[in-house]
Amino acid sequence: IPELCSKTIDDINTLTPEQTAIERNKAVEEKRNYFIFNHKTARDENRVVEVHSSPIDFGGKKILFSIIHDITDRHKAVQDLKDSEQRWEYALEGGGNGVWDWDLENNEVFYSKQWKEILGLTENKTTTNLDEWSKRVHPEDLQGCLDALQMHIEGKTSSYFNIYRFICIDNSEKCILDRGKIIDRKSVV
């Protein structure tokens, strides 16, 4: 695009000329070679770009070689996902529901803040694997829970559903209605 080739970095970068000079100097001095900036297109549209820069010797002259990728769509998708997660968390916690999410491949479990509060758990008393949950399920209810989970993992049920007693940190018991569904079955099989 001829009109873009005639522009300088100051023309396409949305940073101030002073900020652009600082960042360019960091790249030339090899103190930093990866940047994310807002750039302008030849049509003066703002785009989010990922820049990889390195100084090179070209005919005895030190120049800055940069590869620029337009990541506007990826950047928007990440922001949309963050916004969606915040709305989801707000809706669940606003309804008084706790959430746990089990990654079967690496046995890591995410426990929501609300889940921990309902059950009297604290950050330092919660592990990131299924052990925290299974050691707190009432011993008389544990096998039924594990059986229901296994049936769903094996695809014998469309979702996991169980009601069981849970032993809180203070040794009180709470009756839990637990539901779940495998989101990505291909990684389970």
Side-chain angles (χ1 to χ4, degrees), residues 13-15 23 35-39 47-51:
N13 201 321
T14 59
L15 296 174
E23 296 301 328
F35 311 86
I36 294 181
F37 290 122
N38 287 320
H39 274 199
R47 303 297 287 177
V48 179
V49 298
E50 171 182 74
V51 181

Side-chain angles (χ1 to χ4, degrees), residues 4-186:
L4 187 58
C5 291
S6 66
K7 295 187 180 246
T8 68
I9 191 72
D10 291 329
D11 295 330
I12 65 171
N13 201 321
T14 59
L15 296 174
T16 66
E18 294 79 19
Q19 290 171 312
T20 301
I22 290 169
E23 296 301 328
R24 184 176 36 234
N25 288 339
K26 286 180 186 175
V28 168
E29 295 169 9
E30 298 188 66
K31 292 183 179 174
R32 183 169 170 208
N33 65 357
Y34 175 76
F35 311 86
I36 294 181
F37 290 122
N38 287 320
H39 274 199
K40 294 178 191 170
T41 65
R43 294 183 193 94
D44 213 30
E45 300 168 338
N46 281 328
R47 303 297 287 177
V48 179
V49 298
E50 171 182 74
V51 181
H52 298 268
S53 293
S54 295
I56 62 171
D57 185 33
F58 185 73
K61 184 178 179 184
K62 192 173 190 178
I63 65 169
L64 188 61
F65 178 76
S66 298
I67 299 172
I68 301 172
H69 298 275
D70 184 338
I71 61 167
T72 304
D73 294 338
R74 180 175 74 189
H75 185 75
K76 182 180 179 336
V78 167
Q79 189 58 51
D80 288 348
L81 180 60
K82 286 179 183 177
D83 292 346
S84 176
E85 287 173 347
Q86 286 178 342
R87 284 190 298 276
W88 174 80
E89 186 176 319
Y90 182 75
L92 285 172
E93 292 190 0
N97 297 312
V99 176
W100 61 286
D101 183 17
W102 180 21
D103 182 334
L104 295 171
E105 283 187 47
N106 59 24
N107 195 34
E108 287 186 4
V109 181
F110 162 79
Y111 299 102
S112 74
K113 179 181 173 189
Q114 185 72 13
W115 189 91
K116 294 173 193 174
E117 288 175 4
I118 289 169
L119 302 172
L121 301 172
T122 59
E123 284 297 321
N124 60 355
K125 297 238 185 215
T126 307
T127 62
T128 58
N129 60 43
L130 200 60
D131 295 342
E132 182 66 43
W133 173 82
S134 60
K135 77 178 182 185
R136 298 230 162 258
V137 172
H138 193 284
E140 293 174 9
D141 300 340
L142 181 59
Q143 192 57 53
C145 289
L146 296 174
D147 291 345
L149 276 170
Q150 190 60 40
M151 287 180 62
H152 182 55
I153 290 168
E154 292 172 1
K156 296 177 181 173
T157 59
S158 61
S159 64
Y160 164 73
F161 178 88
N162 209 340
I163 298 174
Y164 56 89
R165 293 167 287 174
F166 194 89
I167 303 168
C168 299
I169 292 290
D170 65 2
N171 287 323
S172 65
E173 290 182 11
K174 291 193 177 177
C175 186
I176 302 295
L177 165 62
D178 209 0
R179 310 182 279 210
K181 184 171 184 141
I182 292 177
I183 303 300
D184 183 6
R185 187 161 288 284
K186 70 178 182 268

